[in-house]
Amino acid sequence: MAETLLRQDDQVICAGLEAEYGVNPGLTGADAMLVSNLDVKMIEASTADRNGLKGFMGSSGAITVDRKIVSSFDVEFAGSGNGATAPKWGRQLMGCGFAELVGATDTTYTMVGQDFSSLAMLYRIGKVQQELLGSRGGVSIVLDQGTIPLFKFGYESLFQSPEVVAEYLSGIDFSAFKTPVGVTDVATEVTLFGAPIKMKKLTIDPGIQYGKDSHTEGESVEIEARKGTVSTSFRTSDQELVDYIEHGSNNAEGPLNAVHGVAAGNILTVNVPNLQIKTASVAWDGEFANVDVTADIRPLTANTDLTITQS
């Protein structure tokens, strides 16, 4: 029998919300996620050395005392085509400490501080299959001018041994993923402190801290804390440069709003009600000056770090 070679293009990852923590809700090919830059560490183990004295040199070996699966991937920042139809990546956000609210004309994602949802994922390389259960993680949004905007997700999951199954995954359906729109002057508008900026780079990171918690009664992946940040770089005028250097000096606070998309149902808005500038500096982009700004997301009330709205 000929050996089956595993190819990068054979990879598929499916995802769905768990009704019961750590239990596969019955994922199928219909739950496939359209992702890029997929990286799944099928086992990340912690070991303890035995350090036995044997009367001669050499390792005494080790035992594995903890296991987990670590994964990351990108998803295109594009709507479902209908404001009131939840995008398929919504389930991924809910595994990162967000709640989903589907309205009459839009879908909104807000942050929560307890009762976090969890994800089950199914990883396939051809006929090799591994379940990634009890998954929770973090996300950042990258909106750089001249690129396809992206969600960047990362998760930890409870370890399950992989297996070789009889059939390739069938029924794979990516129809819910709509063609994205590039970050351009036509499709994207960013305001900082209420005024539009000539944005070149923008990363919004809720700063979700997460990790696997193991003890003698069991194990789980938990969202631990949130410390969000924003970094952006934009073309500057003389007065704007002076203003933002002063903002950096005084740790000024204010909102950021980013709207991306051109067609109804595919317009996504990220709103950060309050951020505090940490640093501001001039940076040269070829012959032209930019202002590089880093800021902390500083919510003034619980769970108001940011919202993501599809309309």
Side-chain angles (χ1 to χ4, degrees), residues 56-290:
F56 54 87
M57 291 188 292
S59 172
S60 296
I63 61 170
T64 298
V65 294
D66 200 15
R67 306 166 183 84
K68 63 184 177 183
I69 304 169
V70 178
S71 60
S72 63
F73 49 82
D74 299 343
V75 175
E76 292 166 341
F77 187 76
S80 70
N82 184 323
T85 298
K88 207 167 181 181
W89 44 256
R91 62 191 69 179
Q92 303 294 152
L93 286 179
M94 295 174 72
C96 298
F98 284 79
E100 179 183 84
L101 178 62
V102 179
T105 60
D106 58 19
T107 303
T108 302
Y109 296 90
T110 57
M111 311 213 74
V112 296
Q114 57 187 0
D115 299 327
F116 301 108
S117 299
S118 61
L119 284 174
M121 294 188 281
L122 187 69
Y123 178 52
R124 294 289 294 260
I125 314 174
K127 294 180 181 179
V128 177
Q129 174 173 291
Q130 187 175 36
E131 294 180 324
L132 286 65
L133 304 180
S135 306
R136 293 186 173 115
V139 62
S140 61
I141 302 165
V142 179
L143 290 160
D144 289 351
Q145 187 268 334
T147 69
I148 295 174
L150 297 171
F151 290 105
K152 290 185 170 290
F153 291 101
Y155 297 94
E156 292 188 6
S157 310
L158 306 180
F159 177 75
Q160 309 290 321
S161 296
E163 59 181 334
V164 178
V165 298
E167 303 293 338
Y168 291 98
L169 187 64
S170 62
I172 295 173
D173 182 7
F174 296 126
S175 61
F177 292 91
K178 305 307 179 185
T179 303
V181 177
V183 181
T184 67
D185 60 330
V186 174
T188 313
E189 182 177 16
V190 179
T191 59
L192 183 58
F193 286 20
I197 58 172
K198 301 178 180 69
M199 189 271 295
K200 297 290 287 183
K201 294 182 179 181
L202 175 63
T203 298
I204 302 169
D205 184 354
I208 301 154
Q209 300 173 18
Y210 59 95
K212 183 167 179 275
D213 181 34
S214 301
H215 45 75
T216 57
E217 293 296 315
E219 58 181 4
S220 60
V221 178
E222 300 294 340
I223 291 177
E224 302 165 349
R226 255 190 340 256
K227 294 183 179 179
T229 61
V230 170
S231 63
T232 186
S233 181
F234 53 93
R235 287 279 192 265
T236 184
S237 64
D238 47 11
Q239 187 59 52
E240 198 170 31
L241 174 60
V242 170
D243 290 344
Y244 273 93
I245 295 298
E246 189 67 14
H247 289 336
S249 175
N250 296 329
N251 302 121
E253 298 188 25
L256 176 138
N257 199 65
V259 182
H260 178 74
V262 294
N266 198 26
I267 296 173
L268 300 176
T269 301
V270 184
N271 178 252
V272 180
N274 192 66
L275 52 77
Q276 183 181 56
I277 293 181
K278 291 179 67 176
T279 65
S281 59
V282 65
W284 296 100
D285 182 10
E287 291 297 318
F288 300 105
N290 289 350

Side-chain angles (χ1 to χ4, degrees), residues 31-71:
D31 298 302
M33 300 294 298
L34 184 61
V35 306
S36 58
N37 299 319
L38 176 61
D39 182 22
V40 179
K41 294 180 174 61
M42 298 176 73
I43 182 170
E44 188 170 291
S46 298
T47 59
D49 292 334
R50 296 184 65 192
N51 294 326
L53 297 175
K54 308 184 296 297
F56 54 87
M57 291 188 292
S59 172
S60 296
I63 61 170
T64 298
V65 294
D66 200 15
R67 306 166 183 84
K68 63 184 177 183
I69 304 169
V70 178
S71 60

